Amino acid sequence: MLLEQLLRDEWGRLLALLVARTQRLDLAEDALAEAFEAAARTWPADGEPDNPQGWLMATAKRRIIDRQRAEAVAARKAPLLAADVEATSDPTADVAEPDALLRLVLLAAHPALSPEAGAALTLRLVMGVSTADIAKLFLVSETTMAARLTRARKKVVAAGIPFAIPDAQVLPQRLDTVAEVAYLAFTSGYAPGSGPDLVRVELAGAAIRLVRLVRSSSLAAKQHSALTALLALMLLQHSRRDARSADDGTLVRLPEQDRALWRRDEMAEAFALIDAMAPGGVARVSGALSASYVLQALIAAEHARVERADDTDWGAIADLYRQLEELTGSPVVRLNRAVAVAEAGDPGAALDLLAGLDEALPRNHRVPAVAADLLLRAGRVEEARQQLLQAISLCDNEVEAVYLRERQEGLDLTR
């Protein structure tokens, strides 16, 4: 259990320190993996060391020295390279080095990489998630994900991405990229568009840990408004995870969820972050990305603040979605706004908001699913049935598909 926790909590920090020391991603990653493997073999028999992090660092550094000696011998430069490492090989002295983790995060989430590649590489390098698990999370084979990670690592080298913190003028944009990568990973866990799971708790949790790690790595990161707003947003959404499905795995819609299952400690932390950024519900942040995360967090907070679904202030939520749509122009936001407008009591206006969304989001099953809801409210049952059939045909998530089929079958019974 201790080793699993160390892998989950310390992998990124230890790897960052090793990369800082060697300036070689491949060497550092292999050495740390071998150190964890050695710990898995020896700790059960010999007992856990007093300083597990130091033990892992010392073992990894010995692996690095062995590898560099072998490489140096091959290049006939062994004494020089080995001496470079051994001269600074105190196994624990640099465990608290403050900026190494942030450097690793910025390297893995560099804009030269695609968002998907950056998210996968960040999960592997910073969070220590195995290639096999990342492949499951992104619904590809382990071989495909291994190849994707290899290409990303080569891209890091080929593009000359530095293991460094950029200057103060560039850093905010780079932290914005980190936030976007983290939110991509979180969304893949919170609302997977395909596969057998309604929510992938581990992936969503890993994304939250990533943002926590980054915010703890430096004062600049802690004060970065996009990261702070994103953490609040993710905490509010993740706090509902235990209530989103029933014991049999079926979907539980927000109004029917048992709110006693919501994680109050996470919600309280999110409220504190929101209150600091948006006192009185007015966001005081700069930048479109930060503002979008704050607005989304305020929407999630409206749901979280009330004890009963019937007490939800849908008018306030609809207005927040209006602001968010004006800021982002996102068709997904307009879809959510339509739901809020309907709940606020104007299903006709909600239907108007759906105009053109089937073209903007042609493969999104939620567009016809929402349309079916709104048409039913207007008494247009046959049109609603056709929309549900279309939603079912587009839905790749098994749990959501079951829910949609049950709704469609319920309508058939009324014919």
Side-chain angles (χ1 to χ4, degrees):
M1 181 61 73
L2 173 63
L3 196 57
E4 292 178 4
Q5 184 174 350
L6 284 170
L7 179 61
R8 184 171 60 246
D9 296 342
E10 298 288 342
W11 171 277
R13 191 168 65 89
L14 297 178
L15 180 62
L17 294 171
L18 292 170
V19 174
R21 180 176 293 273
T22 63
Q23 299 297 307
R24 284 185 52 183
L25 183 59
D26 61 334
L27 186 59
E29 193 177 2
D30 289 347
L32 187 57
E34 290 174 11
F36 271 95
E37 291 173 2
R41 289 195 306 272
T42 59
W43 289 7
D46 299 344
E48 295 167 356
D50 294 334
N51 182 351
Q53 294 94 333
W55 189 98
L56 290 165
M57 281 294 286
T59 302
K61 287 176 179 176
R62 284 196 292 272
R63 297 291 193 274
I64 289 172
I65 292 171
D66 292 344
R67 173 89 169 268
Q68 287 192 313
R69 277 176 170 157
E71 292 178 349
V73 167
R76 299 182 180 280
K77 295 179 181 176
L80 175 61
L81 289 178
D84 281 349
V85 174
E86 289 175 327
T88 56
S89 59
D90 180 345
T92 61
D94 56 2
V95 167
E97 185 176 318
D99 292 334
L101 178 64
L102 182 57
R103 294 180 189 183
L104 184 65
V105 172
L106 293 172
L107 181 146
H110 194 277
L113 301 171
S114 70
E116 292 77 12
L121 196 61
T122 301
L123 288 171
R124 178 71 196 105
L125 297 184
V126 183
M127 305 307 302
V129 180
S130 71
T131 301
D133 286 343
I134 298 173
K136 292 176 184 175
L137 296 171
F138 285 86
L139 299 176
V140 299
S141 70
E142 184 175 351
T143 302
T144 297
M145 181 51 69
R148 187 177 299 177
L149 288 168
T150 297
R151 287 196 297 273
R153 291 186 183 95
K154 289 181 178 177
K155 180 74 173 181
V156 168
V157 175
I161 298 173
F163 183 71
I165 298 176
D167 60 43
Q169 290 183 328
V170 177
L171 183 59
Q173 291 82 14
R174 296 292 306 282
L175 290 175
D176 277 358
T177 303
V178 171
E180 290 175 308
V181 166
Y183 197 29
L184 176 65
F186 179 80
T187 303
S188 297
Y190 179 76
S194 57
D197 303 317
L198 180 66
V199 57
R200 297 169 192 156
V201 173
E202 277 301 315
L203 179 56
I208 291 174
R209 289 198 301 277
L210 170 62
V211 174
R212 288 191 191 282
L213 281 171
V214 174
R215 292 187 77 242
S216 67
S217 65
S218 74
L219 181 61
K222 186 173 184 178
Q223 293 178 338
H224 190 67
S225 57
L227 287 171
T228 304
L230 177 60
L231 179 59
L233 168 62
M234 294 193 300
L235 284 169
L236 286 171
Q237 292 179 329
H238 199 52
S239 69
R240 306 175 195 150
R241 58 191 176 278
D242 296 334
R244 293 181 61 199
S245 59
D247 292 341
D248 61 0
T250 55
L251 181 150
V252 180
R253 298 173 67 244
L254 181 59
E256 288 86 39
Q257 289 179 8
D258 181 358
R259 299 186 178 216
L261 297 176
W262 291 3
R263 306 287 180 103
R264 300 292 166 181
D265 55 338
E266 296 174 6
M267 292 162 58
E269 182 182 356
F271 289 149
L273 293 169
I274 291 172
D275 290 343
M277 290 184 298
V282 179
R284 295 179 179 175
V285 297
S286 60
L289 187 67
S290 298
S292 72
Y293 289 153
V294 169
L295 286 169
Q296 292 177 71
L298 289 173
I299 291 168
E302 286 293 336
H303 293 293
R305 291 185 195 281
V306 295
E307 295 294 329
R308 303 182 312 147
D310 290 345
D311 296 333
T312 305
D313 187 347
W314 284 105
I317 292 174
D319 186 60
L320 289 166
Y321 272 123
R322 178 191 58 76
Q323 298 177 52
L324 190 58
E325 185 185 356
E326 290 175 356
L327 179 69
T328 65
S330 165
V332 174
V333 172
R334 176 179 284 199
L335 179 64
N336 291 331
R337 181 185 170 193
V339 174
V341 168
E343 293 293 341
D346 196 346
L351 273 172
D352 291 341
L353 286 170
L354 295 187
L357 287 187
D358 53 343
E359 296 178 0
L361 301 167
R363 298 296 305 167
N364 190 320
H365 69 276
R366 294 188 175 96
V367 175
V370 170
D373 273 338
L374 300 182
L375 289 167
L376 276 175
R377 294 180 188 218
R380 295 155 64 177
V381 178
E382 186 55 35
E383 293 173 80
R385 180 182 292 108
Q386 295 305 315
Q387 290 291 331
L388 277 174
L389 290 172
Q390 184 180 356
I392 293 167
S393 69
L394 293 174
C395 186
D396 293 324
N397 183 277
E398 295 175 16
V399 177
E400 289 187 78
V402 168
Y403 171 76
L404 291 169
R405 279 196 293 271
E406 288 177 349
R407 292 192 60 208
Q408 180 254 321
E409 290 167 0
L411 286 182
D412 286 345
L413 292 175
T414 66
R415 299 178 83 173

